[in-house]
Amino acid sequence: LDGSSLTVRNRYHTRTTLHLRFMARREVEGRVIEDVAIDVPTVPPGEAVSVALDPALLAGDPDAETNVLVTAELARDEPWAKAGHVVATAQFERSPLRSATGTRSATEHASQTCSPEPTDDAWQLGPAVFDSLSGRLRELFGLAVDGPRLELWRGPTDNDRSETRGSYELGDPDATGGEGVPGPSSAQRWRTRGLDRLTHRTLRVTPGPEGLVVAVRSSAAGTALFVDTTYTWCLAGAGDLALRVEINPSSAWDCTWPRVGLRLDLPTEIDRADWFGTGPAESYPDTARAARVGRFSATVDELNVVYSRPQETGHRAAVRELLLADPSGPRLAVRTLAGPSNRRPGFTLTRHTPQELDRARHPYELPDPRHTYLFLDAAVHGVGSRACGIDVLPQHALWPGAQRFDVVFERPSN
């Protein structure tokens, strides 16, 4: 898209675009506002045409995130798919994801005093109950919750486990002819540094007029490496609960991280997610070309891919809004705020922890679910293709560094 001029290139070897129809969809906050057909002349193979789009279709909304999605879809049934099957898409941002720069963070949106109230063995802050010693969340809007806790591990993928090709962590691909340096797999480097066996120690739980501040140090097993995480909780809006997360690693970390984010243990009855963000399928830093911004819905089982060997799956990047439900209806809503760089955390909803995925060699070896696990990840490591190709490219690698993000937990409306 250049201004209002849309270029359509036919990358078929032999076929024209006569069998396709082209549609443009204007979406505001992920909701379809307008869906129109585009009159695109038949494009011969290998050639391109440009067509003018209606400027009104492309107009951005200064007060809401606006995107225009263009699709090429089958105009009629084919032997391999039905009419309407989408063969190509492109999404164009018209009004960007709004940044919190210049505005208050979630914890600064408090509409009332944030002072927690003490009980026998807990702190009560609006709809939330926290353990008085560990500062861990125990209950939220009447829902049993355990967490959050820092998580750096993921169930290693086949690519994470492989050392068939060289490591880009140990050798710059530009300096090694694209081969990297022979060395252990990413999973082995992570395991050696104890990322699969983090231990957590609460440093302090501090109630006050600005909310509840919980400081936790998470240490990698068998090393002197650690990560300090500060959770700042306060009330926001009409009984909502705001959380600011600040993550700061110690120095001397010398390997990538699989992920950096939070884990929340929820009841197993939570089995569905509706979200505004990227989808419909999973997306990682180097596997996001097929992802688009929109509103999607899926069960926990639909969110995750069943591989012959259990491994990491199901991450959706840059979630704006997330609604979790059980068979009785919605139970918990989560809203994220964009930081100064317009980044928002992604989410994963799964029936098994990364450690359980790591230990199982086949799906049948996975234990019966004890919880439904929600991960809110500030960032994740790329997937790469090291099992049969190259390692994760440097621009998609997650190296240790400070992270901060804001989320608001809301009571869902039925």
Side-chain angles (χ1 to χ4, degrees):
L1 185 66
D2 183 6
S4 61
S5 178
L6 177 73
T7 299
V8 178
R9 182 174 303 279
N10 181 356
R11 299 181 65 183
Y12 283 119
H13 176 271
T14 306
R15 200 172 192 184
T16 73
T17 60
L18 185 62
H19 64 300
L20 300 176
R21 61 174 175 245
F22 295 85
M23 305 293 295
R25 177 182 298 167
R26 173 180 167 85
E27 298 177 333
V28 177
E29 295 295 303
R31 296 183 174 89
V32 179
I33 303 300
E34 185 178 6
D35 203 356
V36 300
I38 308 174
D39 185 13
V40 177
T42 300
V43 187
E47 298 187 16
V49 300
S50 294
V51 295
L53 299 183
D54 184 352
L57 176 71
L58 300 173
D61 187 329
D63 298 319
E65 184 177 354
T66 308
N67 292 284
V68 172
L69 177 70
V70 178
T71 63
E73 58 188 49
L74 294 181
R76 57 183 179 272
D77 290 352
E78 294 279 338
W80 50 276
K82 297 293 185 180
H85 174 79
V86 175
V87 300
T89 67
Q91 191 171 50
F92 305 102
E93 180 185 88
R94 307 310 296 169
S95 292
L97 180 69
R98 287 169 293 167
S99 170
T101 302
T103 65
R104 295 179 297 172
S105 72
T107 56
E108 294 167 328
H109 273 93
S111 58
Q112 52 192 300
T113 178
C114 279
S115 297
E117 299 178 359
T119 64
D120 291 341
D121 62 348
W123 290 102
Q124 177 92 36
L125 181 60
V129 177
F130 299 86
D131 185 89
S132 60
L133 296 179
S134 68
R136 294 267 286 272
L137 186 61
R138 299 198 315 209
E139 183 179 312
L140 180 58
F141 301 116
L143 189 70
V145 178
D146 185 18
R149 74 187 76 182
L150 179 73
E151 185 61 81
L152 303 180
W153 187 244
R154 73 183 184 193
T157 66
D158 291 339
N159 293 330
D160 295 337
R161 294 176 184 274
S162 177
E163 52 187 66
T164 301
R165 296 284 292 273
S167 167
Y168 286 172
E169 289 189 44
L170 301 176
D172 188 326
D174 290 336
T176 58
E179 289 300 318
V181 172
S185 69
S186 294
Q188 184 57 49
R189 286 171 57 80
W190 298 336
R191 203 183 307 277
T192 299
R193 288 152 183 82
L195 297 187
D196 59 329
R197 309 179 305 281
L198 292 183
T199 59
H200 310 277
R201 178 166 60 93
T202 300
L203 301 178
R204 59 187 178 277
V205 179
T206 309
E210 295 184 355
L212 185 70
V213 180
V214 181
V216 179
R217 174 161 293 181
S218 303
S219 300
T223 77
L225 303 171
F226 64 87
V227 182
D228 283 337
T229 306
T230 302
Y231 306 94
T232 303
W233 301 89
C234 77
L235 299 178
D240 300 332
L241 185 69
L243 169 64
R244 164 162 287 185
V245 182
E246 296 171 283
I247 300 170
N248 292 286
S250 62
S251 60
W253 284 94
D254 63 345
C255 74
T256 58
W257 284 348
R259 67 168 3 123
V260 54
L262 307 181
R263 168 184 146 187
L264 283 164
D265 299 4
L266 306 174
T268 55
E269 290 76 17
I270 298 291
D271 62 357
R272 188 169 193 87
D274 297 272
W275 74 99
F276 172 33
T278 61
E282 64 184 20
S283 58
Y284 291 81
D286 50 357
T287 65
R289 286 292 297 273
R292 61 181 177 86
V293 176
R295 291 186 179 270
F296 309 99
S297 181
T299 66
V300 174
D301 293 335
E302 291 169 340
L303 286 167
N304 297 277
V305 178
V306 179
Y307 291 101
S308 56
R309 178 165 190 162
Q311 56 192 274
E312 165 70 17
T313 178
H315 177 79
R316 269 73 176 176
V319 63
R320 283 75 158 162
E321 300 170 10
L322 175 64
L323 180 65
L324 303 178
D326 63 19
S328 69
R331 296 302 306 276
L332 180 64
V334 184
R335 177 168 51 88
T336 70
L337 298 182
S341 62
N342 269 353
R343 287 183 54 194
R344 298 195 187 209
F347 86 95
T348 302
L349 192 68
T350 176
R351 298 190 186 281
H352 295 96
T353 68
Q355 291 75 16
E356 290 172 340
L357 294 174
D358 183 16
R359 288 192 291 266
R361 294 173 299 172
H362 305 281
Y364 75 86
E365 295 178 327
L366 289 168
D368 292 336
R370 295 178 296 170
H371 299 279
T372 295
Y373 300 96
L374 172 64
F375 295 88
L376 295 172
D377 288 317
V380 295
H381 190 61
V383 174
S385 58
R386 200 175 174 189
C388 59
I390 62 173
D391 199 3
V392 175
L393 293 174
Q395 64 266 34
H396 302 309
L398 174 59
W399 286 93
Q403 302 281 351
R404 191 196 82 186
F405 62 91
D406 293 271
V407 297
V408 178
F409 297 94
E410 302 172 336
R411 185 189 302 274
S413 56
N414 293 319

